[in-house]
Amino acid sequence: MAAQNASEDDIKQFAINVCIVINFQPEYACKMLGNSLWGEAWFMLQRTTYGSELICGSFINNCGPDYNPIDEPWQVEIPGNKPPVQPWPNPKPNSPTLRVLHLSDIHIDRWYTVGSEADCSNGLPMNTYIYCCRNYTDNSDTYIRDFIKVPAGKWGSPYRCDIPFITFDNAMKHIANNEKFDYILMTGDLSNHAVWDYTKEAHFDNINNITAVLKNYFPNTLIIQAIGNHEAVPCDSMAPHTMEQYDTRGPQAIYNLLSKSWINWLPYSIEENMQYRASYSFRPFEGIKYISINSIYCSRDNFYLYINLTDPDYTLQWLVQELNDSESRGEKVHIIGHISSGASCLKAWSQNYYKIVNRYESTIAAQFFGHTHQDEFEIYYENMDPNGRPTSMVYMTPSLTTSSYNFPAYRIYTIDGNYSGSSWTVLDIENYYANITEANLNDQEPIWRLEYTAKSTYKMPDLSPTSWDNLTKNFLQENELFESFYKFYDRQQKDPSSCDATCKMSLVCALRTAESKAGKKYCL
């Protein structure tokens, strides 16, 4: 319609009408979604050189031509002279270790309503973005009922709902009172999933409130954070500085706010890079550097990128410079971010990131991400060859939110350090979760339980990329081992029989795929 010079109002109204007719969302959400996201979408449609089929192909499989120019590679300069790869380190017994808490995808819903419908999909044909546990007041909505089938519980509901504030506060109180750790990682997404309701004022209030809660419960604990796609208003809309009208459409206000918030725990040296590209680096201990990267610059849902896809704000080139500096110093690096390269990343960004990880595999000791809400991981292979040597991996921590169909969870890593000669590798993982269905039924606070530890549960000699690669192969040979993974995937302890052979192969394939839009390339 844009190519045929239809008016902006006509196109927007058509989009809203389609949303309503196919029951993509309740009517209220369709109207609000159209109004909140339309400005960004229209701005992109007026400026992109890509046609409708090409843009469609970025979002929907088998849409558009077999070859999509949106996936055309662009180059990042990566130095040669890769140092020889050394064997996976084996720390001496009784070497010092650090315990590190990882929180991700908190997604507090300030409008969560106890007693509202938790299972509001109502069998709709397209319910991917249905959002429940709220009171919708528009009586024309298709799933407003005279009765409630599944009332939203006090402590949350494992449906298409986010968590109420009290569940976040309860988790922080429990962790502060019962866990011992040296520092905290947070990998983004603080706001709810009702993207049609987003305002900068509400986002700012939410970030400031969460910051205050963290300072209250962890006043003397280092917290290292990365930005998520739901920090943006509209969601995912993080434009690079090269885009026209950056001053009015860019994410500068949110970058500035997060920078101000994170300075509560981090040095002022992060400000320049944080306020420019929402990425930064710093050294919490001698011998280790943390790099927090803005991976929303790879998000396929970031409409602004379809105007110019090439290395937004030179973030990957900056990453290379940071890694090269650490390599020259002989120090190790931990990378944290939100969207992993194998998730909903644009293909060229994903492939470049993959190449960077492989080039600096001897420097990158670990990667910590979130976004998917599930308990999973991604493995990298030499030369992007599924039959090649495993080079690195991403730990993707389960979400604190219940969306979608999860129990809330957090994770604690045991890491080799802090001492001279530390490898800074992850030695073990502990996952904790709360059965909020149980808490709601018993009208009591959630009980946070240890779900599993990685090495003992999966019978792994260490947590090297090779060991994780072997685990994926063992999943296909040992049903009991895979069934354990499947129960932990969303913390609901589901019946493993609900995942048939096709389901099993798909999950194992995803664990081996750190390259987006790779199809079945890395499947066994």
Side-chain angles (χ1 to χ4, degrees):
M1 291 178 73
Q4 295 170 4
N5 298 316
S7 73
E8 177 180 357
D9 288 343
D10 284 348
I11 300 175
K12 180 172 75 171
Q13 190 58 53
F14 175 77
I16 292 172
N17 291 343
V18 169
C19 178
I20 295 170
V21 168
I22 67 172
N23 289 330
F24 185 66
Q25 285 286 354
E27 185 170 330
Y28 160 81
C30 285
K31 292 176 179 177
M32 294 295 290
L33 195 62
N35 290 324
S36 63
L37 295 181
W38 182 251
E40 176 192 13
W42 178 249
F43 184 85
M44 178 271 290
L45 288 171
Q46 289 179 306
R47 289 161 176 79
T48 185
T49 59
Y50 302 114
S52 58
E53 287 190 349
L54 300 183
I55 294 175
C56 173
S58 286
F59 295 90
I60 303 174
N61 291 333
N62 303 317
C63 178
D66 292 336
Y67 174 75
N68 192 333
I70 288 177
D71 297 331
E72 184 74 28
W74 40 265
Q75 299 301 314
V76 173
E77 293 185 13
I78 304 175
N81 300 318
K82 178 179 175 177
V85 177
Q86 302 299 317
W88 188 255
N90 185 21
K92 295 179 180 178
N94 302 318
S95 295
T97 59
L98 297 171
R99 284 172 59 80
V100 179
L101 171 67
H102 189 178
L103 301 170
S104 196
D105 297 272
I106 295 171
H107 290 294
I108 297 172
D109 185 7
R110 307 284 174 171
W111 291 270
Y112 182 98
T113 305
V114 175
S116 63
E117 182 59 69
D119 186 12
C120 65
S121 60
N122 199 26
L124 297 179
M126 294 185 67
N127 62 6
T128 303
Y129 295 100
I130 286 293
Y131 191 58
C132 310
C133 296
R134 281 187 167 193
N135 274 336
Y136 292 97
T137 57
D138 187 340
N139 290 328
S140 64
D141 284 346
T142 55
Y143 63 73
I144 297 285
R145 305 184 184 88
D146 294 330
F147 66 96
I148 299 296
K149 182 172 65 175
V150 181
K154 174 182 177 180
W155 295 101
S157 302
Y159 291 88
R160 294 188 183 276
C161 309
D162 284 319
I163 56 171
F165 174 80
I166 61 167
T167 304
F168 168 66
D169 188 70
N170 174 270
M172 298 305 100
K173 180 177 72 172
H174 165 81
I175 292 169
N177 292 339
N178 295 279
E179 301 288 2
K180 295 184 182 299
F181 46 86
D182 295 279
Y183 58 96
I184 301 172
L185 304 178
M186 291 179 61
T187 48
D189 275 12
L190 308 179
S191 295
N192 61 63
H193 283 87
V195 297
W196 51 85
D197 280 334
Y198 281 11
T199 66
K200 288 183 179 179
E201 293 75 18
H203 266 48
F204 288 9
D205 288 345
N206 187 55
I207 290 169
N208 288 331
N209 175 254
I210 289 175
T211 299
V213 172
L214 294 171
K215 289 171 66 177
N216 177 56
Y217 284 116
F218 312 109
N220 302 309
T221 303
L222 171 65
I223 302 180
I224 308 171
Q225 301 194 52
I227 194 169
N229 59 309
H230 284 271
E231 269 69 85
V233 181
C235 188
D236 287 271
S237 60
M238 295 184 187
H241 286 76
T242 52
M243 192 186 78
E244 64 176 296
Q245 299 184 27
Y246 178 86
D247 289 344
T248 55
R249 292 183 172 275
Q252 196 61 59
I254 194 69
Y255 289 2
N256 291 345
L257 176 67
L258 290 174
S259 177
K260 179 180 177 182
S261 170
W262 297 353
I263 288 298
N264 283 288
W265 300 281
L266 302 176
Y268 283 98
S269 60
I270 75 160
E271 277 190 311
E272 181 178 357
N273 274 309
M274 181 62 207
Q275 293 180 8
Y276 183 76
R277 58 172 62 89
S279 304
Y280 64 88
S281 68
F282 89 111
R283 297 174 174 85
F285 308 103
E286 185 175 351
I288 182 69
K289 178 164 71 178
Y290 264 88
I291 298 176
S292 176
I293 190 165
N294 179 1
S295 58
I296 321 310
Y297 284 155
C298 87
S299 173
R300 68 183 183 190
D301 298 327
N302 185 349
F303 291 160
Y304 288 140
L305 298 183
Y306 294 91
I307 300 172
N308 182 357
L309 294 166
T310 304
D311 200 8
D313 282 336
Y314 305 100
T315 300
L316 287 184
Q317 198 63 63
W318 168 83
L319 175 63
V320 169
Q321 293 169 1
E322 290 288 337
L323 289 168
N324 211 53
D325 172 65
S326 292
E327 181 182 88
S328 66
R329 294 169 181 259
E331 67 186 4
K332 298 299 182 181
V333 166
H334 287 173
I335 298 176
I336 67 170
H338 184 66
I339 302 175
S340 65
S341 59
S344 53
C345 258
L346 290 162
K347 187 174 182 64
W349 201 99
S350 170
Q351 290 180 331
N352 279 316
Y353 183 87
Y354 202 123
K355 293 174 183 176
I356 293 168
V357 168
N358 278 349
R359 164 60 181 84
Y360 293 98
E361 63 170 296
S362 298
T363 297
I364 300 170
Q367 301 179 69
F368 306 99
F369 284 70
H371 186 58
T372 67
H373 298 194
Q374 311 305 341
D375 182 351
E376 53 188 331
F377 54 89
E378 291 175 358
I379 305 170
Y380 294 74
Y381 295 91
E382 191 171 30
N383 299 321
M384 303 174 74
D385 178 356
N387 297 312
R389 177 179 56 84
T391 59
S392 185
M393 63 165 300
V394 167
Y395 293 103
M396 299 160 70
T397 200
S399 63
L400 196 63
T401 186
T402 51
S403 178
S404 294
Y405 306 103
N406 296 312
F407 282 148
Y410 65 88
R411 171 178 285 180
I412 295 179
Y413 302 100
T414 301
I415 293 177
D416 180 41
N418 166 36
Y419 61 92
S420 177
S422 302
S423 69
W424 297 103
T425 55
V426 176
L427 303 178
D428 210 348
I429 301 170
E430 301 166 19
N431 263 37
Y432 295 82
Y433 80 107
N435 184 331
I436 54 171
T437 302
E438 172 190 73
N440 291 332
L441 287 172
N442 296 334
D443 193 22
Q444 64 180 21
E445 291 189 0
I447 299 173
W448 296 88
R449 297 179 172 96
L450 173 65
E451 187 177 31
Y452 73 95
T453 56
K455 279 186 67 176
S456 61
T457 299
Y458 293 137
K459 305 171 186 177
M460 301 171 73
D462 52 43
L463 300 193
S464 65
T466 297
S467 292
W468 287 105
D469 174 64
N470 289 335
L471 180 64
T472 65
K473 297 172 183 175
N474 292 338
F475 280 160
L476 297 181
Q477 304 298 324
E478 303 177 34
N479 283 334
E480 186 176 341
L481 200 63
F482 175 79
E483 288 173 359
S484 294
F485 165 78
Y486 187 64
K487 288 191 295 183
F488 302 147
Y489 185 66
D490 59 11
R491 292 82 73 194
Q492 283 240 49
Q493 306 291 310
K494 290 187 299 189
D495 180 0
S497 65
S498 64
C499 186
D500 60 15
T502 301
C503 162
K504 181 177 182 179
M505 183 61 72
S506 177
L507 284 175
V508 171
C509 184
L511 300 176
R512 299 172 55 84
T513 303
E515 177 190 357
S516 70
K517 300 185 73 172
K520 296 183 178 181
K521 173 180 176 180
Y522 296 91
C523 299
L524 292 169

